[in-house]
Amino acid sequence: MRTVGGSTDHVVVVGAGLAGLSAALQLAGRGRTVTVVERGQHPGGRVGRMDIGGYRLDTGPTVLTMPDIIDDAFAAVGETVSDRLDLVDVDPAYRASFADGSTLQVRSDPDAMAAEIERFAGRAEADGYVRLRNWLSKLYQVEFDGFIAANFDSPLSLLTPQLARLAVIGGFRRWDTMVRRYLRDARLQRVFTFQALYAGVPPHRALAVYAVIAYMDTIAGVYFPRGGVRALPDALAAAASDAGVEFRYGSAVSALERRGDRVVAVYTDGGQRIPADAVVLTTELPDTYRLLERTPRRVLALRPAPSAVVAHVGCRAVGPDVAEIGHHTIVFGDEWERTFTDIIDDGRVMNDPSLLVTRPSASDPSLAPVGRELLYILAPAPNLQVGHVDWASTRDRYVDQMMDVVTTRLPRLGADAEVLHIVDPADWARQGMAAGTPFALAHTFSQTGPFRPANTVRGIANVVLAGSSTVPGVGVPTALLSGRLAADRITGLPIRRARSQVVQA
């Protein structure tokens, strides 16, 4: 693995998102002096926040998985997740609601999930689930250290024994093909393949290696920090600060000072010059290339992932007795397969919306005023590169359609609703996100592992990249891993402690 040569005593991390915070903790724990420069007034990056009328909104991700990876970031400075966060186990992880009126509670406990599937679709499907669970667990075991949490210097880095094992267990077949080996019920197939939307590729085109995302939320479990997802970056930043990391908020990086093949200082828009022995850039890819004064050299153009419309809604509280409406509900439309054609191929909004409805106040009532609920309603949408949608004129009407779906399918939810805030692809673009998507680059084969934009920069010896647009990819766990991989490039590989996550068969 290539590493940064020369002195790396003082590292400047640009951006206090999850990748930047992870890198800062890892580097501080390895004895480096670290300065984090953040343009916003608080940590988080894509893990955004907004307070409106007594509601505390998370404007970024709401699904939190793999707490052992979070714990690894804290462990870098001798702390644990429990020292800083009150993580709630969200059980069931999801409630799946189907157009035919049927529902399924998605549980991470193997016995509870098998019993739920037997109730839902019969014993044969429950037995198939057990076999699928075993396959997903094996897939994760093979992939994690060799692919997900590894730096690649070239495609040749893939040629390892793990690659052969991955091929043997079907990792390079299609995701939906592998799931159909175990499950015949089309509704269950959706539960274990809808995560392809996170990867930006339809299940029938996605490689089965990406099914590890289904492992993360249906087996490893879903969690929620009291105080909202914003509590995660706050906790990471507090741990980093106590470990000696300096944070400079409200400072956007305007330029990098070069001397030969090294960056020797970072300049902010306020005129500050911050000397650096090494730099970690977690900026959006267009900003990264601008700061580096580089144009990427790729045979194939980068393909952005689909985007999303998110509506933050306040409504009348449903009360603790409404067990059928939990923390996360996936509302599947009747025309599920057409969803991918609409948003990925045709560049239009879904004709029959499928939605993620998150109710964070189910786990932490303090996020909404007394007697009220806070809802986060996400509809996948085309990004601005392929999309043909005039969001300025259509978004309110589309949000009304989203709300109609919610109140029809979840009739106990949405009474006395007030729309607090809306974010559409044009809004994401105004925040600096390429192609108006918060999900960065799609996980096509040509944008995965050593084929994804690398975290090293050709011709610049001491700059390393981190974040969603580089390895390993999009998501909370992968952003944290990205920061760790960036730190490894600077310091070399440390001695790893044993992983705390127990992979359940």
Side-chain angles (χ1 to χ4, degrees):
M1 180 187 74
R2 289 198 302 269
T3 58
V4 172
S7 172
T8 59
D9 293 341
H10 181 210
V11 184
V12 176
V13 177
V14 180
L18 295 182
L21 293 169
S22 173
L25 285 163
Q26 296 288 344
L27 290 164
R30 302 176 198 181
R32 271 46 176 192
T33 299
V34 182
T35 301
V36 178
V37 184
E38 166 58 43
R39 65 182 178 181
Q41 298 299 325
H42 49 70
R46 278 181 164 87
V47 185
R49 63 188 73 188
M50 184 175 292
D51 297 336
I52 301 176
Y55 295 93
R56 301 177 67 197
L57 282 58
D58 283 323
T59 59
T62 62
V63 179
L64 196 62
T65 63
M66 306 304 294
D68 63 310
I69 294 176
I70 301 172
D71 197 50
D72 185 68
F74 286 109
V77 293
E79 297 197 29
T80 66
V81 168
S82 59
D83 293 333
R84 297 284 180 174
L85 279 176
D86 182 8
L87 276 185
V88 178
D89 183 356
V90 177
D91 183 31
Y94 299 100
R95 175 180 181 266
S97 170
F98 300 94
D100 64 2
S102 60
T103 61
L104 176 77
Q105 304 281 19
V106 178
R107 318 292 291 270
S108 57
D109 178 81
D111 295 332
M113 187 59 177
E116 174 69 0
I117 289 179
E118 183 171 357
R119 174 201 66 80
F120 179 79
R123 179 60 183 270
E125 291 296 273
D127 291 342
Y129 158 73
V130 173
R131 295 193 299 273
L132 173 62
R133 184 185 179 97
N134 289 337
W135 176 74
L136 287 170
S137 298
K138 186 180 297 183
L139 185 72
Y140 178 77
Q141 287 176 308
V142 172
E143 276 192 61
F144 187 84
D145 288 325
F147 297 93
I148 301 173
N151 276 310
F152 298 97
D153 290 334
S154 77
L156 293 177
S157 303
L158 281 173
L159 301 179
T160 64
Q162 287 105 317
L163 182 71
R165 288 197 291 270
L166 197 56
V168 167
I169 65 173
F172 297 108
R173 301 194 70 181
R174 297 300 176 188
W175 185 342
D176 66 339
T177 298
M178 293 302 297
V179 170
R180 285 200 301 268
R181 279 188 172 188
Y182 304 100
L183 301 172
R184 295 183 179 277
D185 189 294
R187 297 166 301 172
L188 290 174
Q189 292 168 6
R190 293 181 188 182
V191 170
F192 292 96
T193 60
F194 82 88
Q195 300 88 351
L197 279 170
Y198 302 152
V201 184
H204 64 275
R205 296 183 201 163
L207 293 178
V209 292
Y210 304 125
V212 292
I213 310 173
Y215 168 87
M216 290 178 179
D217 58 14
T218 66
I219 295 177
V222 174
Y223 296 82
F224 184 75
R226 294 196 192 278
V229 180
R230 68 172 76 180
L232 173 57
D234 286 349
L236 293 168
S241 182
D242 287 350
V245 174
E246 178 191 4
F247 285 86
R248 300 192 188 186
Y249 293 108
S251 298
V253 171
S254 57
L256 305 176
E257 181 182 335
R258 295 267 299 277
R259 189 174 300 158
D261 66 350
R262 299 180 74 88
V263 170
V264 297
V266 169
Y267 285 90
T268 71
D269 57 0
Q272 294 177 307
R273 179 184 183 275
I274 307 172
D277 296 315
V279 176
V280 177
L281 289 178
T282 72
T283 43
E284 299 291 336
L285 211 54
D287 289 334
T288 299
Y289 291 139
R290 176 183 57 79
L291 288 170
L292 294 173
E293 299 178 340
R294 290 298 175 95
T295 301
R297 295 189 296 176
R298 290 179 64 91
V299 175
L300 298 175
L302 292 172
R303 177 179 154 187
S307 185
V309 176
V310 176
H312 299 270
V313 177
C315 67
R316 188 184 308 153
V318 298
D321 59 322
V322 186
E324 69 270 19
I325 304 176
H327 191 112
H328 295 293
T329 301
I330 305 168
V331 178
F332 287 104
D334 192 35
E335 300 180 53
W336 171 243
E337 287 74 17
R338 183 173 171 181
T339 291
F340 296 92
T341 302
D342 284 343
I343 65 176
I344 295 176
D345 297 330
D346 296 342
R348 61 189 182 192
V349 297
M350 293 176 286
N351 181 66
D352 180 20
S354 292
L355 309 172
L356 169 64
V357 181
T358 294
R359 179 181 158 230
S361 47
S363 297
D364 186 351
S366 72
L367 299 176
V370 175
R372 305 289 290 176
E373 299 278 9
L374 175 60
L375 305 180
Y376 169 107
I377 305 169
L378 181 148
N383 61 52
L384 298 183
Q385 181 172 296
V386 301
H388 311 288
V389 182
D390 179 359
W391 290 107
S393 63
T394 64
R395 83 168 190 175
D396 289 345
R397 185 166 64 252
Y398 190 59
V399 168
D400 287 342
Q401 184 181 354
M402 292 163 58
M403 285 302 301
D404 287 343
V405 172
V406 171
T407 55
T408 299
R409 298 282 294 278
L410 306 173
R412 300 288 297 275
L413 201 61
D416 190 23
E418 53 179 334
V419 177
L420 305 169
H421 183 60
I422 301 171
V423 188
D424 62 39
D427 295 318
W428 299 121
R430 282 188 282 271
Q431 294 178 38
M433 299 180 192
T437 173
F439 304 116
L441 301 177
H443 281 267
T444 59
F445 180 77
S446 63
Q447 295 179 173
T448 297
F451 306 110
R452 200 168 179 83
N455 60 1
T456 56
V457 182
R458 185 183 290 107
I460 303 179
N462 65 334
V463 171
V464 183
L465 309 187
S468 298
S469 295
T470 185
V471 291
V474 180
V476 171
T478 41
L480 293 167
L481 286 172
S482 180
R484 195 186 85 184
L485 294 177
D488 291 347
R489 288 287 193 187
I490 291 171
T491 70
L493 290 171
I495 297 174
R496 295 283 182 219
R497 63 187 178 89
R499 289 179 55 75
S500 59
Q501 176 71 28
V502 177
V503 178
Q504 302 174 29

